[in-house]
Amino acid sequence: MTTDLNPSGTPSAAQAPKFKPFIRQTIANARQWDRLSPDLQEAVQVVSHVLPFRTNEYVLDHLIDWNNIPDDPIYRLVFPHKDMLQADDYAQLRDMVLGKANPAAMAELVRKIRLRMNPHPAGQMTHNVPRVNDAPVKGLQHKYKETVLFFPSAGQTCHAYCTFCFRWPQFVGMDDMKFDARESHELAAYLKLHPEVTDVLITGGDPLIMNTRSLEAYIEPLLVPELAHIQNIRIGTKSVAYWPQRFVTDRDADDLLRLFERVVASGKNMAIMGHYNHAVELRPEIAQHAVKRIVGTGATLRMQGPLIRHINEDPKSWAELWQTGVRLGAIPYYMFVERDTGPREYFELPLARAHEIFQEAYQMVSGLARTVRGPSMSAFPGKVVIDGVVNIAGEKLFALQFLQARNPNWVRRPFYAKYDPKATWMDHLKPAFGKDKFFFEEEGGSRSEYGAEAPGQRKVIPLISARQEAAAAAAASGCTEPNAA
């Protein structure tokens, strides 16, 4: 990008680009649309009925190489593809879309396809929702003792959607699978009851789709003396890659940075959890300038993202991303394993290959970039990292450990699984040394949200959403306000 910066380092208001999103209904208005073949255009129109689609002019103009379609990694990152659906599902949906089928019939087919895609991985809706007075607290998740996740309702969209996103149900109108909070007082009230919590992660969607005044309304209540135990306020965001103008040229970009400074001045750490998927996202001048402006406030910027087939299998891309980030003042944090949700079969890589890619990239960087951890699975019992492939007593094994866990006693305890070159997720692995269970299963845990299912079997958990549960509880008690508790 060639945005001209004034002496203060910020483009003038006249130069500042305005955010312009494109969705399925408007993508044909983008000047690049005609560069797609009819087959690719059809795939976008059909698949986006099931999986969300949203992008913007910055992504289209500066991140995608239109001479390398459809293999360009950012194109695959934001545009839906035919192979994301099973062949029969695609054919049936295509016929409905092109034939302008009855909307109700199409909606029913779309919902059936979505429900087969494990829309709430790792039990995020059934096992992580906290309770107060035996009622679920809407818009919160509390999986690990130290950390609470908060989902403000105004932040449940993004500047552009990633096709692999594990929170895709947030964006597609599946209201019974949303976890969003319309008020901030329940968050503060919950935190005051839980002094063990040190970290609040404001996430979505993307909280930085909100204007600064709205974001401030959620953050300011966390700075009161009664919440002195909250040490770190995190914001999970893809805007650093998809819309860096949020920190540089947006009308309230300076206000946002002043908010970061107030958090730091209060004695807390302001941590921006920047989602990056490819080195190209940090090459534009404005993307690098955004990083410098963020860290200039005293906030930290940590870089994280999943390893995804078709997009970032090249170790050199990861090494470049981490090296560039470190040079700008960011901290490489996590390489994740792609979650078992959505078009999983399209994006997943064998764990063995994931380890090889991480190891190759890790070997290319200096110690300053070796803060990164991975490849890590955010599985049901916790964050499980693949430490290596080893041979013990003649048996080839995966060496594993928890970096975070539902039970803190499991953290950093090494354990082993039989080497399986085809395994792509935790529930595909089998314990080593002839055991039937991993150590945490023997202590009452589960490797999978599917409970005692045989490894490798995949099914969708029957859902009772937090909203439905609250309504049922209210009805049972005779209360007409589900959130009264």
Side-chain angles (χ1 to χ4, degrees):
M1 184 167 182
T2 58
T3 302
D4 293 328
L5 303 180
N6 63 30
S8 68
T10 305
S12 67
Q15 296 170 318
K18 299 298 187 289
F19 177 70
K20 182 179 180 180
F22 292 101
I23 58 176
R24 182 180 73 245
Q25 292 85 347
T26 61
I27 186 59
N29 297 328
R31 58 185 178 82
Q32 294 90 347
W33 180 247
D34 289 338
R35 302 190 67 169
L36 300 184
S37 68
D39 286 348
L40 292 177
Q41 290 181 351
E42 175 190 285
V44 172
Q45 292 293 337
V46 173
V47 179
S48 60
H49 279 79
V50 175
L51 297 167
F53 170 68
R54 178 180 167 100
T55 189
N56 65 63
E57 281 191 321
Y58 173 77
V59 174
L60 298 180
D61 291 347
H62 301 288
L63 298 185
I64 295 176
D65 178 1
W66 291 95
N67 294 315
N68 187 30
I69 302 301
D71 294 326
D72 176 78
I74 306 302
Y75 175 83
R76 289 191 179 274
L77 190 61
V78 297
F79 280 89
H81 309 280
K82 180 178 181 180
D83 293 342
M84 290 178 179
L85 300 184
Q86 296 177 14
D88 290 346
D89 287 339
Y90 183 88
Q92 188 176 359
L93 184 59
R94 175 186 178 277
D95 290 344
M96 283 190 163
V97 171
L98 298 184
K100 301 187 182 336
N102 178 280
M106 188 184 302
E108 180 61 23
L109 174 62
V110 166
R111 183 168 180 83
K112 286 180 179 178
I113 295 172
R114 287 173 176 168
L115 289 176
R116 293 201 299 267
M117 289 183 160
N118 191 23
H120 73 100
Q124 60 187 9
M125 291 191 67
T126 53
H127 296 77
N128 304 337
V129 178
R131 307 177 74 87
V132 172
N133 296 329
D134 203 33
V137 183
K138 185 170 164 47
L140 267 67
Q141 288 184 13
H142 195 174
K143 180 176 180 179
Y144 306 126
K145 181 183 72 173
E146 304 88 356
T147 306
V148 164
L149 277 63
F150 179 61
F151 298 79
S153 59
Q156 299 313 304
T157 185
C158 293
H159 292 94
Y161 295 151
C162 298
T163 42
F164 66 82
C165 182
F166 73 93
R167 292 203 178 118
W168 56 272
Q170 297 282 93
F171 312 136
V172 296
M174 299 177 76
D175 290 341
D176 55 339
M177 294 189 189
K178 278 189 175 183
F179 26 86
D180 57 342
R182 300 193 180 278
E183 304 291 342
S184 60
H185 68 274
E186 284 190 333
L187 170 64
Y190 181 79
L191 294 175
K192 288 175 183 178
L193 295 174
H194 291 271
E196 75 277 12
V197 176
T198 59
D199 291 45
V200 174
L201 171 57
I202 304 173
T203 186
D206 191 331
L208 292 184
I209 200 78
M210 295 190 287
N211 61 41
T212 300
R213 184 166 55 183
S214 297
L215 181 64
E216 185 178 54
Y218 291 111
I219 289 181
E220 290 284 1
L222 305 180
L223 306 183
V224 298
E226 295 90 334
L227 293 178
H229 58 284
I230 303 301
Q231 301 173 17
N232 306 295
I233 298 175
R234 312 184 201 175
I235 298 177
T237 183
K238 183 69 181 179
S239 61
V240 287
Y242 281 168
W243 189 250
Q245 290 86 347
R246 185 69 190 90
F247 309 94
V248 182
T249 63
D250 275 6
R251 179 178 299 178
D252 63 346
D254 289 345
D255 294 336
L256 179 64
L257 299 180
R258 301 295 83 79
L259 175 60
F260 294 171
E261 290 175 346
R262 289 203 299 278
V263 174
V264 173
S266 75
K268 301 182 190 296
N269 173 38
M270 181 78 250
I272 306 304
M273 317 304 291
H275 300 182
Y276 293 95
N277 297 111
H278 196 278
V280 71
E281 296 171 331
L282 200 47
R283 289 174 189 163
E285 178 187 5
I286 194 168
Q288 297 192 13
H289 192 55
V291 175
K292 291 180 179 179
R293 296 200 88 201
I294 291 168
V295 300
T297 67
T300 57
L301 171 60
R302 297 179 185 269
M303 309 170 69
Q304 59 186 22
L307 176 60
I308 320 163
R309 187 161 61 98
H310 302 299
I311 292 173
N312 53 19
E313 299 169 77
D314 183 2
K316 293 180 181 178
S317 174
W318 284 99
E320 178 190 339
L321 178 64
W322 298 335
Q323 289 169 326
T324 304
V326 166
R327 175 172 59 81
L328 298 170
I331 304 168
Y333 189 47
Y334 268 116
M335 176 197 280
F336 289 111
V337 175
E338 169 57 9
R339 289 223 187 175
D340 57 336
T341 184
R344 166 186 181 172
E345 292 80 6
Y346 185 84
F347 288 123
E348 66 186 359
L349 282 164
L351 299 177
R353 179 58 184 148
H355 171 67
E356 290 174 357
I357 293 170
F358 179 85
Q359 187 174 39
E360 289 180 42
Y362 198 81
Q363 291 171 350
M364 295 178 188
V365 300
S366 74
L368 290 177
R370 291 183 178 177
T371 51
V372 68
R373 297 175 290 184
S376 172
M377 292 177 280
S378 290
F380 181 73
K383 288 186 172 69
V384 180
V385 68
I386 305 163
D387 261 348
V389 177
V390 298
N391 281 281
I392 299 177
E395 188 174 358
K396 191 174 184 180
L397 308 170
F398 285 121
L400 309 166
Q401 64 173 297
F402 283 102
L403 297 177
Q404 184 61 282
R406 291 183 182 275
N407 183 341
N409 293 328
W410 300 345
V411 175
R412 305 297 288 190
R413 285 174 62 177
F415 64 104
Y416 300 91
K418 292 181 179 180
Y419 179 82
D420 182 348
K422 296 182 180 180
T424 60
W425 195 248
M426 186 68 189
D427 56 0
H428 298 164
L429 299 178
K430 298 179 180 179
F433 313 124
K435 293 189 174 183
D436 295 326
K437 296 181 179 181
F438 292 111
F439 80 89
F440 56 90
E441 293 177 294
E442 294 173 346
E443 296 180 11
S446 172
R447 79 186 75 170
S448 155
E449 60 266 45
Y450 313 132
E453 296 297 317
Q457 291 188 0
R458 185 168 186 250
K459 67 176 184 179
V460 175
I461 309 171
L463 277 179
I464 299 179
S465 69
R467 180 182 291 126
Q468 291 170 327
E469 188 174 355
S477 65
C479 175
T480 59
E481 293 292 335
N483 294 323

